[in-house]
Amino acid sequence: MVDVSIIVGGGILGLLSAQLLANEGRKVLLLEASATGTEASWAGGGIVSPLYPWRYSPAITALAHWSQDYYPSLGKTLLQQSGVDPEVHETGLYWLDLEDEDQALAWAHRHGRPLHPVDMEQVHTAVPSLGDGFSSAVYMPGVANVRNPRLLQALRAALAKLPNVTIIEHCPVSGFINDGARVVGVQTAQGEMRAEQVVVAAGAWSGRLLAKLGLELPVKPMKGQMILFKCAEDFLPSMVLAKRRYAIPRRDGHILVGSTLEDVGFDKTPTEDALESLRETAIELLPGLADATVVKHWAGLRPASPEGIPYIGPVPGHEGLWLNCGHFRNGLVLAPASCQLLTDLMLDRSPCIDPEPYAPAGRL
């Protein structure tokens, strides 16, 4: 008998976990309340780095470094498997007018990351579209962005070809099936579904699900709004970040500008105030955008957790129940390492990184 694993949630964490488990011979049933890849994973910017990596704990750094090294090969593999190019696009990243530049450089030195100060004249030569109002910059080459909607399409298409993966969309999970202290399945809109393991990878909704077992998982939604412009393909050669806002170039000339951080519950409505604020930021960073049309404006819900440290591993007292959630602003960045770690733990083999900081035990 092949073990069956149910994964609740069809974002980047759920889809990639499904692929890794299926590649190990597991039978996987992935359940998604709406359509796969349409929530936070779709809505983010896709920078393959935390916004300010030196401000995070070593737990985030460990996942981020593992994942950053893995992304280029993941992009190539998914293109081969699915025919969809996730566009892992190495542009490098400029941080402008940092208040904590010294800490940033010290962090980079400690971790062997290639971050260095750059003269503003050089920055304007490299990024001619940049505005004039900035006085200092640091640059990290090699930082990539991934076109997250296409990454999700590629994963979905790759999973569709695997005979041991079943995806059921528009199938909300309403609770768990218990056999004593063991979780043996889930209750859904389409009836009971049973499995040897259940993985909760439901992003901002994970806390609501765990509450059905009387567990308090401190993961809550934090709204973020983004806007998208279309420019010439060479308009912005590198990512730029200033005052907690960023501009990300896609290969075809689309420019994403984000993002807001709003504590408004599960409300995903884009607002005029945010649109205006993001447009102002965009024009301050890149004055040429004053003449560009906003192609799209949207909002998503990040799964906020204390210090942004995700929950990855078994839930104590509920045998068979696993978590891979609570990645806050870094779901795409941390996904490869998080899903590899989960797979290693579920298969009881040596983990790719130390699992202790992410363990649900003692944190619920």
Side-chain angles (χ1 to χ4, degrees):
M1 270 291 287
V2 178
D3 273 0
V4 179
S5 303
I6 286 175
I7 296 176
V8 182
I12 181 69
L13 278 308
L15 293 168
L16 195 50
S17 298
Q19 187 183 50
L20 292 176
L21 286 167
N23 287 346
E24 297 292 343
R26 288 289 168 99
K27 196 173 175 188
V28 179
L29 174 59
L30 187 141
L31 306 174
E32 166 54 47
S34 53
T36 59
T38 53
E39 290 293 348
S41 306
W42 177 91
I47 303 176
V48 185
S49 168
L51 288 187
Y52 300 95
W54 54 89
R55 296 179 189 171
Y56 283 96
S57 70
I60 302 291
T61 302
L63 290 173
H65 286 181
W66 197 99
S67 297
Q68 283 165 320
D69 294 342
Y70 185 81
Y71 252 109
S73 64
L74 176 65
K76 290 189 187 100
T77 305
L78 284 174
L79 174 58
Q80 287 166 355
Q81 291 171 339
S82 69
V84 179
D85 187 358
E87 292 188 22
V88 179
H89 183 26
E90 278 193 23
T91 63
L93 173 55
Y94 288 94
W95 285 268
L96 306 168
D97 291 356
L98 276 179
E99 295 162 11
D100 55 354
E101 186 176 309
D102 291 348
Q103 286 98 303
L105 296 170
W107 171 90
H109 180 71
R110 272 198 315 277
H111 290 282
R113 303 314 265 193
L115 180 73
H116 55 268
V118 191
D119 179 77
M120 281 313 296
E121 204 173 310
Q122 284 176 274
V123 182
H124 284 288
T125 303
V127 188
S129 50
L130 186 67
D132 288 330
F134 304 100
S135 55
S136 69
V138 295
Y139 178 66
M140 191 185 281
V143 182
N145 67 73
V146 62
R147 200 151 181 175
N148 33 319
R150 296 191 183 183
L151 173 67
L152 295 157
Q153 283 168 21
L155 266 170
R156 178 77 169 78
L159 286 174
K161 294 180 177 178
L162 295 177
N164 52 336
V165 175
T166 304
I167 296 175
I168 306 179
E169 297 181 309
H170 309 289
C171 182
V173 169
S174 55
F176 298 92
I177 305 166
N178 297 83
D179 180 3
R182 189 175 179 84
V183 171
V184 295
V186 291
Q187 294 155 345
T188 80
Q190 298 182 29
E192 290 191 351
M193 300 186 188
R194 291 177 180 260
E196 278 71 30
Q197 301 92 11
V198 174
V199 177
V200 174
W205 288 265
S206 300
R208 280 187 171 181
L209 263 179
L210 270 278
K212 310 275 185 189
L213 293 170
L215 294 171
E216 196 178 317
L217 174 72
V219 172
K220 68 171 193 173
M222 288 293 270
K223 180 174 169 180
Q225 300 191 50
M226 309 272 290
I227 55 175
L228 182 71
F229 297 91
K230 180 73 168 78
C231 303
E233 281 177 33
D234 60 354
F235 175 76
L236 181 62
S238 183
M239 294 182 279
V240 289
L241 200 161
K243 299 176 187 170
R244 304 193 76 81
R245 296 275 172 91
Y246 49 78
I248 305 169
R250 301 301 196 213
R251 283 187 181 144
D252 61 4
H254 278 100
I255 310 286
L256 280 122
V257 175
S259 69
T260 64
L261 190 61
E262 306 163 58
D263 191 355
V264 292
F266 286 91
D267 172 18
K268 276 196 308 181
T269 318
T271 64
E272 282 301 314
D273 285 356
L275 174 62
E276 202 41 53
S277 167
L278 288 165
R279 235 187 128 256
E280 275 174 27
T281 299
I283 293 164
E284 187 183 352
L285 263 179
L286 306 162
L289 291 178
D291 303 321
T293 308
V294 174
V295 179
K296 198 172 171 102
H297 169 211
W298 67 90
L301 300 174
R302 308 176 187 90
S305 57
E307 292 184 75
I309 297 172
Y311 296 83
I312 307 167
V315 178
H318 298 271
E319 203 184 333
L321 183 62
W322 298 77
L323 300 183
N324 193 5
C325 58
H327 292 68
F328 200 7
R329 303 187 78 147
N330 295 311
L332 276 158
V333 189
L334 308 180
S338 300
C339 297
Q340 186 62 59
L341 176 58
L342 176 79
T343 304
D344 291 342
L345 293 171
M346 288 178 74
L347 298 178
D348 197 21
R349 65 187 181 196
S350 183
C352 62
I353 55 175
D354 176 13
E356 198 276 324
Y358 323 100
R363 297 178 65 210
L364 296 181

